[in-house]
């Protein structure tokens, strides 16, 4: 285990099972639809690549990126879109893929923006949910697993851009982010 990680919350094996279970469910739910999968960079990348292997449907895949200005472990309400997708979503059923739904501010901003572009629907799949911390009025349609109110890293999730490449989800030791 990485020395900066206090404990492992979701193992590699569990992550794989989550991707398969959600991918199979999405395959059933989106049959016959014009599916556009949109990953929210960068955190969702590991989850998206595993999840989509289990989505047995024709689909488009694209990415968006948003940045929020605030302290490094809490997102602020000031969201800026730094990479966008097509303006016209006519006919598409959009599935947003997130790493973690925390305050919900980021996803709510993206959701409200996409819904104005005439899609058939917009739904959300998140690997992790921290329901305790929700501020924005948004819920995910598909949730991998709920996590407690602790700062987690790995499998795409970062602290100051590090730890994304850990193959599991772990709780970051408090001393790592409290020393700054
Ligand atoms: P929200 O806007 O507060 O829901 O935060 C969304 C983004 O903040 C996520 O997509 C993550 O990039 C980041 N984030 C929130 N909680 C954590 C965490 O525990 N570890 C790593 N990143 C996090
Ligand atoms: Mg992040």
């Amino acid at each position: 285990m990485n020395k900066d990680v206090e404990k492992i919350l979701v193992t590699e094996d569990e992550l794989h099972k989550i991707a398969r279970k959600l991918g199979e469910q999405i395959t059933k739910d989106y049959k016959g639809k014009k599916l556009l999968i949109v990953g929210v960079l960068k955190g969702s990348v590991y989850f998206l690549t595993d999840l989509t292997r289990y989505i047995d449907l024709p689909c488009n895949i694209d990415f968006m990126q948003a940045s929020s200005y605030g302290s490094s472990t809490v997102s602020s309400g000031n969201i800026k879109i730094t990479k966008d997708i097509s303006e016209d979503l006519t006919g598409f059923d959009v599935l947003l893929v997130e790493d973690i739904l925390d305050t919900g501010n980021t996803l709510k901003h993206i959701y409200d923006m996409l819904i104005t572009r005439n899609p058939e629907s917009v739904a959300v799949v998140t690997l992790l949910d921290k329901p305790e911390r929700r501020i924005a009025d948004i819920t995910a349609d598909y949730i991998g697993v709920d996590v407690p109110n602790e700062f987690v890293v790995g499998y795409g999730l970062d602290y100051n851009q590090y730890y994304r490449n850990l193959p599991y989800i772990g709780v970051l030791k408090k001393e790592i982010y409290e020393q700054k």
Side-chain angles (χ1 to χ4, degrees):
M1 190 169 74
N2 185 289
K3 64 172 176 30
D4 298 343
V5 170
E6 190 181 293
K7 63 171 185 257
I8 294 178
L9 270 189
V10 193
T11 65
E12 277 188 79
D13 188 46
E14 286 163 347
L15 287 166
H16 182 242
K17 284 182 180 142
I18 288 169
R20 189 171 64 202
K21 183 171 159 239
L22 293 178
E24 287 172 356
Q25 185 61 49
I26 289 164
T27 302
K28 285 185 192 142
D29 296 351
Y30 282 84
K31 205 163 181 209
K33 298 191 172 177
K34 196 175 162 194
L35 177 58
L36 170 61
I37 295 171
V38 179
V40 183
L41 292 171
K42 304 171 192 169
S44 72
V45 166
Y46 286 70
F47 176 48
L48 183 144
T49 58
D50 281 345
L51 176 74
T52 51
R53 275 172 244 242
Y54 292 103
I55 299 180
D56 186 16
L57 295 171
C59 60
N60 285 197
I61 298 177
D62 209 341
F63 294 93
M64 289 183 75
Q65 188 158 25
S67 62
S68 87
Y69 301 97
S71 85
S72 46
T73 58
V74 186
S75 89
S76 73
N78 284 325
I79 317 289
K80 205 178 127 197
I81 301 299
T82 53
K83 185 200 174 318
D84 202 351
I85 56 165
S86 165
E87 281 291 325
D88 185 13
L89 299 175
T90 306
F92 281 107
D93 285 283
V94 179
L95 184 61
L96 282 168
V97 183
E98 253 289 27
D99 53 354
I100 186 166
L101 200 46
D102 186 34
T103 65
N105 288 331
T106 310
L107 211 57
K108 173 78 174 143
H109 184 91
I110 292 174
Y111 183 95
D112 287 350
M113 200 177 83
L114 296 186
I115 211 81
T116 66
R117 298 182 184 177
N118 201 33
E120 282 295 309
S121 67
V122 179
V124 173
V125 51
T126 187
L127 171 65
L128 307 176
D129 193 7
K130 266 189 203 172
E132 253 184 79
R133 303 234 321 150
R134 196 65 31 80
I135 294 171
D137 179 20
I138 189 152
T139 50
D141 301 271
Y142 303 92
I143 297 166
V145 64
D146 281 2
V147 289
N149 186 9
E150 290 182 284
F151 196 78
V152 295
V153 292
Y155 195 64
L157 290 110
D158 72 301
Y159 170 64
N160 276 351
Q161 301 302 328
Y162 286 96
Y163 309 105
R164 293 192 198 274
N165 58 325
L166 299 179
Y168 49 78
I169 303 281
V171 176
L172 190 64
K173 286 183 181 163
K174 280 209 174 58
E175 67 215 52
I176 304 294
Y177 54 89
E178 282 179 350
Q179 72 198 2
K180 306 233 165 90

